[in-house]
Amino acid sequence: MDKNDTTTYSVQLYIYDLSRGMARNLSPIMLGKQLDGIWHSAIVVYGEEFYFGGVGISSCSPGGTMLGSPDTVVELGNTEVTEEIFMDYLSSLGENTYRGDKYRLFEHNCNTFTNELAQFLTGRKIPSYITDLPSEVLSTPFGQILRPILDSIHIAPPGGNIINGRHS
Amino acid sequence: MADNGGADPVNNNNNTTVALEGTIIKVTVKTPKDKEEIAISEDASVTQFKEEISRRFKAKQDQLVLIFAGKILKDGDSLNQHGIKDGLTVHLVIKTAHKAGDGASSSSSGTTQVGSSSGNSSGPSSAAHPSTVGSTGGPASAPPQTPNLLTGFGGLSSLSSMGMGSANFMELQQQMQSQLMSNPEMLSQIMENPLVQNMMSNPDLMRQMIVANPQMQQLMERNPEISHMLNNPELMRQTMELARNPAMMQEMMRNQDRALSNLESIPGGYNALRRMYTDIQEPMFSAARDQFGNNPFSALGGNSDGGVQPSRTENREPLPNPWGSTNPSEGGGGTGTTGSSTTGSTTPSVSNPLGVNSASLGNGMFSSPGMQSLMQQISENPQLMQNMLSAPYMRSIMQSLAQNPDMASQNPASSPSAGENPAQQLMMQQMLQMFAGGNSSSQTPEVQFQQQLEQLGAMGFINREANLQALIATGGDVNAAIERLLGSQPS
């Protein structure tokens, strides 16, 4: 709706496969079901990439983490939210539900964060195959067995800068 | 008060003077911190909505920013206009006091400054704020506010607003790195460039570059052997030769792998291997990865110590098959390696967990020869994996592995100082046979070792029980079993 001359910013979802293709090949054998990848995602908006990891919310230039270029880019649409409001929002999140120590590989991970951001910015959710991944893995016996080990893993792709909570 | 159609008690607060004709809808308002359900009339305006929200969230109306479906709700709009219906969620951001109003101008100039460095649409965002003083106006007032906003960018932008100094260089490096990692051919192209070759043939320069990396420096402090290696020009030259020539590199890697597997056979060698990995290879991998992106140097550097040892070990046939059923000690070592590799990859360790994790996916776990041949066999025979996983004791092993990774690394079946309980050995035995593609595992050891038992009996070892135990322990090797028996009974 172009009632005013509001600028919109495009919002994209960058999806990475942490296993670099290995999940696609090995998952039928190891888990008994086909998983096309171990998905890590990030939101790209205002020319920056934002993601959540074991160290908290981080940002970098798009495709600038060790993971390199994303496997898939999904256009989530446009948002009117300005950068200022967004950073406020992010700082708030980073103080509470998305602190580094709140990271949980299965329940509260990078994709949870991305999903929330996507809904905030555009009202849309991210593709369900990403958010369904933990439950897919946990529904296999192998996943259940490895769960205690996996729970202690914090994914934190290096190459970004950590966004701290607001100062006072 | 309750003269609205379908009003609920909550609505008492919402007794605005405007006639409420529409039905009441419940809208969830979500902040980063929490969320509340607010009941409001369907036809209400955004202003009315904000009034209600400011009451509930104890914030001033002009601090509230409401967002729905990516759009900012302006006071003049109505909820209907934006399609806000019952049960939907609206996002709320509460601006902090010093940002609202007056803060908008300085932070938008701060934004513009950043916009100039990231070079995109943040510039025009200043147009969205009606209270903007001027697009680049007031840089003098910016500094007190900028730390707040720009810390949000993690400091990178603040560096660039100071004049495009190191920020760009870091970005450049990052980009180069990410490109390198995604395009291995680029690496070989770079290698062929004569300039690069010149540089590489100068070991001093290479050494300087490597040493300049702070992580490398840390590593060197911890492991003086590494600096020793770096200082050896001969080694450096060789390393660079290898980097230039991928075929030679592969050959070298294979040699290394073989050497490593040789290590497993000596008593205590397995422990040395593990120590080597965790002390040297892991940090080197992480450090090198950060700088060079999967630098082949690191693998060589880390293993150069290991490379020295094989001369002391016995020579065995090339490409040993740790899962061969004739050699349970190897197989046990392989299993043990699995255990330790799992251990190594899960300690939330040195630098970055992701580094370690992909190392375990790509290198640490899979590069151990035992694991490699296992994976080969598995990919050839999926049934094998099924067998492996469906075994009940496998599950209990995995569980105990999960609970106590240390136990796994101390507990390979190959430990020469046996004395383990026979039940455990039996279990390892059967597991190994299963790995080897065994349909034969369904037989009891007694049946399996029938022939060997007869042999032992013929030689005069009449204690069948002891024979069986010995055979189990040695995996059917009659000679070794005899040794065991002779060791335990003086007759």
Side-chain angles (χ1 to χ4, degrees):
Chain A
M1 293 193 195
D2 290 317
K3 16 186 203 352
N4 307 326
D5 221 359
T6 40
T7 5
T8 56
Y9 310 92
S10 84
V11 181
Q12 292 168 315
L13 179 72
Y14 275 24
I15 307 175
Y16 301 85
D17 178 6
L18 291 175
S19 73
R20 298 230 186 269
M22 269 188 263
R24 182 176 284 117
N25 296 326
L26 296 179
S27 61
I29 298 166
M30 297 189 82
L31 295 176
K33 61 164 72 162
Q34 176 70 32
L35 289 179
D36 282 334
I38 311 286
W39 307 117
H40 163 85
S41 60
I43 290 280
V44 172
V45 64
Y46 318 117
E48 290 260 325
E49 177 174 333
F50 300 94
Y51 56 94
F52 174 60
V55 294
I57 305 178
S58 304
S59 76
C60 63
S61 60
T65 63
M66 293 300 304
L67 298 170
S69 305
D71 287 90
T72 319
V73 175
V74 177
E75 294 286 335
L76 291 175
N78 289 323
T79 188
E80 282 180 11
V81 176
T82 64
E83 205 164 7
E84 181 206 350
I85 300 176
F86 180 68
M87 295 313 294
D88 256 353
Y89 173 71
L90 223 52
S91 305
S92 222
L93 284 182
E95 279 167 356
N96 299 300
T97 51
Y98 288 99
R99 287 204 306 261
D101 57 344
K102 299 278 194 187
Y103 183 91
R104 296 285 174 273
L105 184 70
F106 284 113
E107 304 100 8
H108 193 68
N109 57 22
C110 53
N111 302 321
T112 323
F113 174 72
T114 316
N115 208 4
E116 187 150 345
L117 238 56
Q119 289 180 66
F120 173 78
L121 287 171
T122 64
R124 296 171 55 185
K125 295 192 177 179
I126 65 179
S128 61
Y129 70 85
I130 302 174
T131 40
D132 285 343
L133 185 68
S135 56
E136 288 273 324
V137 171
L138 287 177
S139 69
T140 67
F142 200 67
Q144 281 294 330
I145 291 170
L146 282 187
R147 181 170 189 161
I149 301 177
L150 294 174
D151 264 342
S152 66
I153 297 180
H154 287 207
I155 310 272
N161 302 299
I162 304 173
I163 298 179
N164 297 315
R166 228 189 303 230
H167 298 294
S168 75
Chain B
M1 292 227 196
D3 55 2
N4 315 319
D8 12 356
V10 177
N11 214 18
N12 279 338
N13 288 340
N14 196 14
N15 209 9
T16 60
T17 48
V18 177
L20 300 169
E21 293 169 5
T23 47
I24 303 300
I25 54 176
K26 291 218 186 66
V27 181
T28 307
V29 177
K30 195 157 188 263
T31 62
K33 291 193 184 42
D34 55 3
K35 62 182 180 193
E36 298 252 353
E37 219 178 50
I38 302 220
I40 186 136
S41 157
E42 191 174 55
D43 294 329
S45 69
V46 172
T47 317
Q48 288 165 326
F49 196 30
K50 281 194 177 176
E51 265 173 36
E52 182 59 28
I53 292 176
S54 81
R55 259 188 290 242
R56 277 291 192 91
F57 285 90
K58 317 267 186 306
K60 297 223 280 282
Q61 260 183 269
D62 50 8
Q63 282 177 302
L64 305 178
V65 180
L66 285 172
I67 293 146
F68 181 71
K71 296 202 180 32
I72 300 184
L73 306 184
K74 309 218 178 359
D75 288 352
D77 302 339
S78 77
L79 298 184
N80 215 348
Q81 201 179 340
H82 283 282
I84 299 175
K85 301 209 184 349
D86 189 36
L88 294 182
T89 302
V90 172
H91 295 269
L92 171 70
V93 177
I94 302 178
K95 294 199 272 209
T96 47
H98 68 257
K99 282 246 185 77
D102 165 57
S105 58
S106 48
S107 45
S108 61
S109 62
T111 316
T112 318
Q113 274 183 326
V114 173
S116 67
S117 69
S118 42
N120 66 347
S121 56
S122 349
S125 74
S126 57
H129 292 277
S131 57
T132 305
V133 172
S135 58
T136 48
S141 62
Q145 255 88 0
T146 42
N148 273 338
L149 178 64
L150 294 178
T151 35
F153 285 89
L156 188 69
S157 324
S158 65
L159 282 178
S160 56
S161 73
M162 276 193 263
M164 307 275 197
S166 38
N168 261 356
F169 179 66
M170 257 160 54
E171 271 190 13
L172 193 65
Q173 217 182 18
Q174 269 179 2
Q175 276 182 11
M176 193 180 82
Q177 215 170 299
S178 48
Q179 272 181 5
L180 257 179
M181 275 184 65
S182 55
N183 186 359
E185 267 160 21
M186 187 163 143
L187 184 63
S188 53
Q189 274 174 12
I190 286 181
M191 290 304 183
E192 267 149 42
N193 184 348
L195 179 63
V196 170
Q197 278 187 348
N198 260 346
M199 196 173 75
M200 301 261 286
S201 52
N202 180 356
D204 274 333
L205 186 58
M206 287 309 289
R207 190 168 58 81
Q208 272 176 21
M209 264 177 60
I210 294 183
V211 168
N213 182 354
Q215 266 161 329
M216 235 11 211
Q217 280 170 353
Q218 252 184 13
L219 203 58
M220 275 168 52
E221 271 173 74
R222 263 185 292 167
N223 283 328
E225 301 154 329
I226 293 182
S227 58
H228 190 59
M229 173 201 83
L230 277 175
N231 285 334
N232 180 356
E234 197 46 54
L235 188 57
M236 283 299 282
R237 209 164 296 144
Q238 203 187 29
T239 307
M240 283 182 287
E241 274 298 316
L242 284 174
R244 262 200 283 246
N245 184 349
M248 198 153 108
M249 165 78 79
Q250 284 208 8
E251 190 56 39
M252 184 80 160
M253 293 298 273
R254 225 175 300 149
N255 282 343
Q256 295 250 330
D257 282 343
R258 258 180 260 156
L260 277 179
S261 62
N262 275 344
L263 257 186
E264 279 175 47
S265 70
I266 57 177
Y270 165 75
N271 277 332
L273 248 187
R274 188 168 61 91
R275 186 171 53 85
M276 186 182 78
Y277 175 78
T278 45
D279 287 350
I280 300 179
Q281 193 169 348
E282 208 173 286
M284 277 209 85
F285 257 125
S286 325
R289 184 170 300 111
D290 286 348
Q291 185 174 40
F292 290 126
N294 260 346
N295 188 352
F297 296 169
S298 59
L300 294 173
N303 286 345
S304 66
D305 288 335
V308 177
Q309 295 192 11
S311 55
R312 299 206 298 262
T313 65
E314 24 183 298
N315 221 358
R316 289 198 330 234
E317 54 205 336
L319 302 180
N321 180 4
W323 303 109
S325 54
T326 54
N327 200 346
S329 63
E330 261 182 278
T335 319
T337 314
T338 314
S340 83
S341 303
T342 319
T343 314
S345 65
T346 58
T347 38
S349 70
V350 190
S351 19
N352 45 56
L354 177 65
V356 174
N357 231 5
S358 65
S360 73
L361 282 178
N363 278 304
M365 187 153 121
F366 284 9
S367 68
S368 85
M371 207 49 195
Q372 264 177 354
S373 66
L374 175 65
M375 290 316 284
Q376 245 180 21
Q377 285 191 335
I378 284 181
S379 33
E380 284 158 20
N381 182 6
Q383 189 61 24
L384 184 63
M385 195 71 193
Q386 298 277 4
N387 284 345
M388 183 165 113
L389 287 180
S390 58
Y393 26 80
M394 186 61 184
R395 197 160 300 204
S396 64
I397 285 187
M398 294 296 251
Q399 270 172 2
S400 52
L401 250 188
Q403 280 155 16
N404 187 358
D406 284 331
M407 184 191 84
S409 58
Q410 285 164 12
N411 198 6
S414 70
S415 99
S417 58
E420 289 155 11
N421 53 36
Q424 214 170 37
Q425 285 178 341
L426 181 63
M427 199 168 74
M428 291 304 279
Q429 201 57 31
Q430 291 191 330
M431 206 169 68
L432 295 171
Q433 278 161 357
M434 251 184 16
F435 291 153
N439 300 326
S440 56
S441 60
S442 51
Q443 301 164 318
T444 65
E446 212 176 290
V447 176
Q448 261 177 313
F449 295 138
Q450 185 70 16
Q451 195 201 15
Q452 288 96 325
L453 277 171
E454 278 172 15
Q455 277 183 325
L456 288 175
M459 281 184 235
F461 293 104
I462 43 178
N463 188 348
R464 211 172 150 77
E465 277 306 311
N467 292 353
L468 194 57
Q469 294 294 339
L471 279 170
I472 290 172
T474 61
D477 183 350
V478 177
N479 286 332
I482 292 175
E483 308 249 1
R484 277 185 95 92
L485 291 167
L486 287 177
S488 57
Q489 48 192 103
S491 70

